[in-house]
Amino acid sequence: MPRRPWVVGVSGASGTPYAASVVRGLLAAGEAVDLIVSRASRLTLLDETGISFRDAHWRADLREWLARGADGKPGTFGVTDADLDLVRYWPAGDLAAGPSSGSYPVKGMLIVPASTACVAGVALGLSKDLLQRVASVTLKERRRLVVAVRETPLNGQTLRHLVTLDEAGAVVVPASPAFYAGATHIQDLVDFVAGRVLDAAEVPHRLYRRWEGELGSGSKEGS
């Protein structure tokens, strides 16, 4: 079978644990991943985790990132060589990268987290870096684009950009965790948002407990 990955774009918004959870969920489902980490997101990743993400050492840095819990504890999750073998990394400045062309086979793209600058760039079709270029390609090829916007409050300009993305066929998933799943740890809240991103991509996962119509079930599970 030819390789058909999901492209995961990580922009500079706060929320790098969301991206790590999404990538772990894709790998757990046996999905291949093409990863794009924007320049701004490297600063956020360094600030939120202490990890320096380097082009020349992306595999080791990604392993450390995916292994870290949302609470900052290293080694929370196991990451194998087989997991990393499913990942292909593309530098954000490489506009000649495979996913920059519509002829490159992918299932779709997940932008998590998506900053307001990233949202604006994609909505306006700026393609100023590889992340934005791939998002534009995803839309023109009518593939699934999921945008996990992470900002609050949202001004009118950003809301209009999000409506533009929705009208273009993208799925907008605010990074807004719910509490009915019985969250007892920050990781549970992160995994809920990541799970909803994967739901939008129709990728199976077990990141959160789904609502089954029983009131109080979340508090029972957490007690």
Side-chain angles (χ1 to χ4, degrees):
M1 293 290 291
R3 184 178 184 274
R4 288 190 66 225
W6 284 96
V7 180
V8 176
V10 187
S11 80
S14 176
T16 54
Y18 292 130
S21 183
V22 165
V23 173
R24 285 194 300 266
L26 289 169
L27 298 179
E31 298 284 351
V33 173
D34 274 23
L35 180 65
I36 304 169
V37 180
S38 76
R39 292 180 179 178
S41 68
R42 295 177 191 225
L43 298 177
T44 308
L45 180 64
L46 180 63
D47 183 57
E48 294 182 344
T49 70
I51 297 171
S52 296
F53 197 90
R54 302 159 295 175
D55 288 347
H57 303 281
W58 70 266
R59 190 176 173 104
D61 296 338
L62 179 61
R63 183 193 294 271
E64 183 181 0
W65 180 15
L66 296 183
R68 190 175 296 261
D71 59 358
K73 183 179 179 180
T76 300
F77 300 96
V79 182
T80 67
D81 287 337
D83 292 328
L84 297 176
D85 287 344
L86 290 172
V87 181
R88 181 177 293 171
Y89 170 70
W90 301 98
D94 184 5
L95 292 178
S100 68
S101 171
S103 66
Y104 183 86
V106 302
K107 293 183 177 179
M109 183 180 192
L110 316 176
I111 305 178
V112 52
S115 66
T116 55
C118 174
V119 167
V122 176
L124 297 173
L126 297 183
S127 295
K128 73 181 185 73
D129 62 7
L130 181 61
L131 193 158
Q132 292 184 14
R133 168 60 185 169
V134 177
S136 295
V137 169
T138 302
L139 290 175
K140 81 179 183 67
E141 297 293 331
R142 300 297 190 266
R143 296 167 180 159
R144 182 63 56 92
L145 174 64
V146 182
V147 180
V149 60
R150 215 303 312 160
E151 184 58 273
T152 188
L154 295 172
N155 62 26
Q157 187 176 48
T158 298
L159 290 170
R160 285 188 286 273
H161 288 152
L162 291 173
V163 170
T164 297
L165 292 180
D166 176 78
E167 292 175 342
V171 180
V172 176
V173 179
S176 177
F179 295 85
Y180 61 76
T184 59
H185 189 276
I186 185 174
Q187 189 67 54
D188 299 324
L189 300 176
V190 167
D191 286 348
F192 179 87
V193 172
R196 295 301 286 151
V197 170
L198 294 178
D199 286 344
E202 298 183 347
V203 174
H205 65 87
R206 300 180 65 181
L207 287 176
Y208 69 88
R209 184 186 63 81
R210 297 185 181 278
W211 174 251
E212 296 179 349
E214 180 184 355
L215 290 176
S217 57
S219 59
K220 291 177 185 176
E221 187 165 306
S223 61

